[in-house]
Every structure is written in structure tokens, then in C-alpha cells.
Amino acid sequence: MVPEAPRQVSAANPPQELCQVASGAVDRINIPIGEFNRVLGGGLTIGSLVLIGGEPGIGKSTLLLQVAAQLAGPEDAVVYVSGEETARQIKLRAERLGLAGKGLYLLAETDLNVILSQIEALSPRLVVVDSIQTAYLPELETTPGSITQVRECTQRLMHWAKTGSVPVLISGHVTKDGAIAGPRLLEHIVDAVLYLEGEPFSAYRLLRCVKNRFGSTNEVGIFEMGQKGLIEVKNPSQVFLSRRQGEAVGSAVVATLEGSRPLLVEIQALTNLNSFGQPRRTANGVDFSRLLMISAVLSKRLGFKLGSQDIIVSATGGIRVNEPAADLAIALAIASSFGSMAVKPGLAAVGEIGLSGELRAVSQLDRRLSEAARLGFKHCLVPKVGLGSSPPPKGIELIPVSTLREAVKEGLVVKKAGQKNV
Ligand SMILES: Nc1ncnc2c1ncn2[C@@H]1O[C@H](COP(=O)(O)OP(=O)(O)OP(=O)(O)O)[C@@H](O)[C@H]1O
Ligand SMILES: [Mg+2]
């Protein structure tokens, strides 16, 4: 049996009484990329370890290189460690993105001991490790990318960041279902976890915060991927509405919330008779099970004969709208396409639909209405239940409704002659 080690009394780091601990806001580095700053809760906290996760090819290295180059300068060293690309490949990307390299040091290395000793020598302002799955510690017997290696390397970097008061950004791959253990496994170790997401066919990317020890997790950053890298989208609602026509059939607009940010998104639906077999439901950017539920409510409670119809519903612009507040816009778009009736022009809709066709209240209605009014919407269908007495923002009229039946009646207009379904 191994003898128990004698307890050591250390004078170096004694416990501190809470009231004696120095207070004050945490120090943050302001990143010149506003959307990134916003997601972190107002900047990168000194000494924090932040994980940027995402599917392969989504743009993690691009974003990290942009952040690194923005923070580097003649007086500010930033180290970009890559285990996946050579310095030449990174240089090529930097040239494409139009990034200068003053103060930005590239290190193509995977041995974490070497990495730590090299970065120490530069006293950097920021360190980027792309990716954590390629870093390894030779003293461990497992292969790079294994659970033990990934966890141990992260813990080493965490310790280094805290003791040196230098922020460290690490990237990690995840698959759609999060099957690879890597980043998911690290969520509890690191200070903040951001996920870069996007639909494969769309150039838009969402940077979503799922954990933050130094700020709220409600923030979402929106970018567009292009030749020059990830460009911030300053007015996202306009993007998701840009191709909307005045009085389209099969199209409704929801005032949704992405974190704490209101966004107006167009929902399109197409219903089509399936004469050959099993009718299909397809959901792009909306929740499939909610689509099934909404179709069932429209059939059962409102008498829409959708049983033989294929139904396709899409959120335009490649965004995902998962919140139940989008139910009403989805239902309106389907009803509009099925009945070949346009949705009232200038109308937005919010509301969760219950199984008996009743409409349920949504959170933060005032924020949604303000954004709708700002973008020129004139009317908004809202659930009557939970509606406060405060007046709506200037320029927008509320249409309070209790049931989906009422909402369809209020929200659709008879189609003009010659108008086509979308
Ligand atoms: N010339 C270009 N113009 C527009 N977009 C480009 C161009 N070159 C690359 N891209 C985009 O950049 C993406 C790759 O970005 P990046 O290498 O940063 O992703 P990543 O998440 O780091 O990928 P990996 O998981 O392979 O490391 C491509 O999928 C593509 O969308
Ligand atoms: Mg990469």
C-alpha cells in the first residue's frame, strides 16, 4: 500500500477572506471586431481560455486569424499556433484576407511543451491555438486528439493563461451531432465556449456563446463569409428579409430573438399535392417536430386538408429559427400557400401555438416589436394572452389574437388575380 503523503501547509497561497479580496471589473481586451466582442460580453477577459468550436470548414481558423491580426501590432506580440497548417499556408490566407503581419508570430507546432516555451519567450498579448485536437504532450502515452491528450493540453493552457494573465483562444472541431468528444468534453474546463455555426449552403455564420464565466450567454454575433473572410453583419434583419416581395403567397415574417437580439426572418412555405405516395414534410432552418405539430393543428383544428400535401418550410438566408415564437409565422406561411392567399403586406407575426390551436405568450415582446417597427412593419399579430397595457412602438399596430383560426383570418388577404405561389 502506498503511504499517505504528509499534508503540506503552504504559506504561498493562503485562503483569502471574501471581503478582503480586491474588487473591480475584470480587465478586458477590446477586440476591433464588434460582433466578436459582443458575444464575449464586451471583450476578451485577461487570462481567460476561450474555446471556439465548429464543424470542419465553417471558418474557425479564418476568424481566429482575423482576431489575432487585429490585436497584433509593433508593440503587441500575438502568437498564432497552428498544428494544421504551415506558416506559408497561413500567410496565403492572411494575404487573401488583407491582414498585415506586424507583431503576429506564426508557430507551426504540435508539441505543447515546445509551444509553451516558445510563447513564453515572446510575452504575447494573446495566444491562439488552432486546433486543440492537434496539440499533444509527448509524456502522455495516448495519441494526439485522444480524450486524455485534449483534456490535459487544455488544462495546461488554462494554467498558463491564468498564471501569465494572457488570454488564450483555442479552436476545436465538432460534428453536427457533437459526436466527437473533443470540444464537448472541454466545455466545463474553459472559461467561455463559442460555437461558429452556419448552414452549408449559406454564407452567413452565427457565433453563439454557450458558456461564459465573464458575461451573459445570450449574445449572438452574425457574420458573412466571403473572399475577405468573416465580415460583420451590422443589420441582420435586413439580410434575412432582403429578397422579400410586398405581398408574397406562402411567406410570413417572424420577429424572432437570437439570444437577446431581435431579428426579423422570413419564413417561406410551399404546399403541393402529392398524388403518388407518402406526403413529405421538409424543414430547412426551422424545427422539424414543430412543423409536424403545426401542420397537425392546421389540419385538425382549422380543417386544412394537408394530409395529402407535401409541405416544405424554409427560413430564408440560411438562419435557424428554433424558438416556438416562430410557430405562428410558420402556420401563416403554410396556410397562405395552401389557400393561395397572400399574407397581409407589412405584417409580422409572433406566437407559440398550442395543440388545441390556442396562441401562447412569447417573451420580450417589446424588443421584437421595436425591431419590426424599425424595419417598417406596420402590423404585428401577437397572442392576446399575456399582453401588457403598454402601448406598442410608434408606427406599428398590434393585432391581438387568441387562436390560430383568428390569426389566419386576420393575417391573410385574398390573392390578387395573376399572383403566383412562391
Ligand atoms: N476564396 C474564398 N472565398 C470565399 N470563401 C472562402 C475562400 N476560401 C475559403 N473560404 C471559406 O473558408 C472556409 C474555410 O475556412 P477555415 O479554414 O477558416 O475553416 P475551419 O473551420 O478552420 O476549417 P477546419 O476545420 O478544416 O480547420 C471554406 O469552407 C470557405 O467557406
Ligand atoms: Mg482550421
Side-chain angles (χ1 to χ4, degrees):
M1 202 175 125
V2 184
E4 207 174 287
R7 290 195 181 190
Q8 304 239 324
V9 181
S10 165
N13 190 14
Q16 282 179 283
E17 198 178 355
L18 178 62
C19 59
Q20 305 293 331
V21 178
S23 61
V26 283
D27 286 332
R28 292 180 189 268
I29 297 177
N30 193 42
I31 303 167
I33 303 172
E35 292 290 295
F36 198 95
N37 240 7
R38 168 196 184 105
V39 175
L40 284 171
L44 191 54
T45 309
I46 302 288
S48 65
L49 181 65
V50 178
L51 169 69
I52 317 274
E55 287 173 36
I58 199 77
K60 301 178 293 294
S61 307
T62 307
L63 182 63
L64 288 173
L65 189 62
Q66 285 178 255
V67 172
Q70 296 270 12
L71 290 184
E75 304 291 314
D76 295 308
V78 170
V79 188
Y80 186 101
V81 183
S82 179
E84 296 178 345
E85 289 151 313
T86 62
R88 260 186 94 96
Q89 287 169 325
I90 300 168
K91 172 82 179 169
L92 275 176
R93 175 179 291 140
E95 279 175 346
R96 170 165 62 84
L97 304 180
L99 301 172
K102 205 75 195 148
L104 180 57
Y105 293 84
L106 306 180
L107 177 61
E109 180 58 67
T110 51
D111 182 335
L112 193 66
N113 292 325
V114 178
I115 294 172
L116 290 177
S117 67
Q118 293 280 2
I119 58 181
E120 194 74 51
L122 284 161
S123 314
R125 184 186 190 200
L126 168 74
V127 173
V128 172
V129 178
D130 184 21
S131 69
I132 191 65
Q133 277 114 338
T134 53
Y136 79 103
L137 285 160
E139 57 266 35
L140 303 179
E141 275 166 14
T142 50
T143 50
S146 66
I147 292 176
T148 318
Q149 284 283 6
V150 169
R151 192 176 357 196
E152 202 56 38
C153 288
T154 309
Q155 259 151 359
R156 258 327 148 86
L157 282 166
M158 182 72 160
H159 184 253
W160 187 86
K162 293 273 177 286
T163 47
S165 293
V166 177
V168 178
L169 297 176
I170 58 176
S171 74
H173 313 287
V174 257
T175 54
K176 253 211 159 59
D177 53 2
I180 293 181
R184 295 268 182 249
L185 184 90
L186 303 179
E187 282 180 353
H188 75 282
I189 306 177
V190 300
D191 293 310
V193 182
L194 314 180
Y195 279 105
L196 190 60
E197 305 170 351
E199 295 291 326
F201 54 85
S202 162
Y204 294 105
R205 303 281 183 268
L206 261 66
L207 186 64
R208 203 185 287 278
C209 183
V210 297
K211 165 180 169 173
N212 194 353
R213 286 190 177 139
F214 308 106
S216 134
T217 51
N218 269 343
E219 297 301 340
V220 172
I222 302 177
F223 297 90
E224 184 175 1
M225 174 65 98
Q227 172 79 12
K228 290 277 171 208
L230 287 157
I231 309 293
E232 297 176 66
V233 176
K234 292 273 167 59
N235 196 351
S237 289
Q238 253 162 17
V239 170
F240 300 117
L241 292 173
S242 56
R243 276 155 291 155
R244 190 173 150 75
Q245 297 140 15
E247 208 182 77
V249 172
S251 156
V253 172
V254 56
T256 182
L257 279 181
E258 269 299 343
S260 63
R261 171 187 271 192
L263 263 187
L264 271 87
V265 178
E266 180 182 349
I267 307 284
Q268 292 185 341
L270 181 65
T271 58
N272 191 34
L273 184 68
N274 182 318
S275 340
F276 306 107
Q278 192 83 354
R280 287 182 303 177
R281 273 86 179 100
T282 309
N284 300 314
V286 298
D287 192 76
F288 183 69
S289 55
R290 294 211 80 82
L291 166 59
L292 293 184
M293 186 277 283
I294 294 163
S295 312
V297 173
L298 279 167
S299 300
K300 189 83 181 166
R301 308 285 175 209
L302 279 80
F304 282 65
K305 294 195 170 23
L306 296 172
S308 54
Q309 300 278 322
D310 285 336
I311 304 178
I312 305 159
V313 174
S314 298
T316 60
I319 193 166
R320 276 204 74 78
V321 186
N322 282 332
E323 64 159 358
D327 289 355
L328 185 52
I330 297 173
L332 272 186
I334 297 173
S336 162
S337 175
F338 183 71
S340 294
M341 296 201 293
V343 171
K344 200 169 172 169
L347 180 92
V350 282
E352 179 181 346
I353 298 174
L355 292 184
S356 56
E358 83 280 13
L359 292 182
R360 301 201 183 130
V362 299
S363 64
Q364 306 190 49
L365 185 64
D366 43 348
R367 279 177 178 237
R368 300 172 196 263
L369 292 173
S370 304
E371 180 72 354
R374 193 178 70 80
L375 283 143
F377 283 81
K378 298 278 176 263
H379 324 275
C380 190
L381 276 175
V382 292
K384 198 179 264 174
V385 56
L387 203 58
S389 55
S390 55
K394 205 167 172 282
I396 193 159
E397 174 218 5
L398 295 193
I399 309 177
V401 277
S402 305
T403 62
L404 180 56
R405 183 180 292 277
E406 265 182 73
V408 168
K409 200 163 149 246
E410 293 286 342
L412 299 185
V413 290
V414 180
K415 191 183 83 164
K416 283 181 185 164
Q419 191 162 19
K420 288 197 178 101
N421 282 11
V422 285

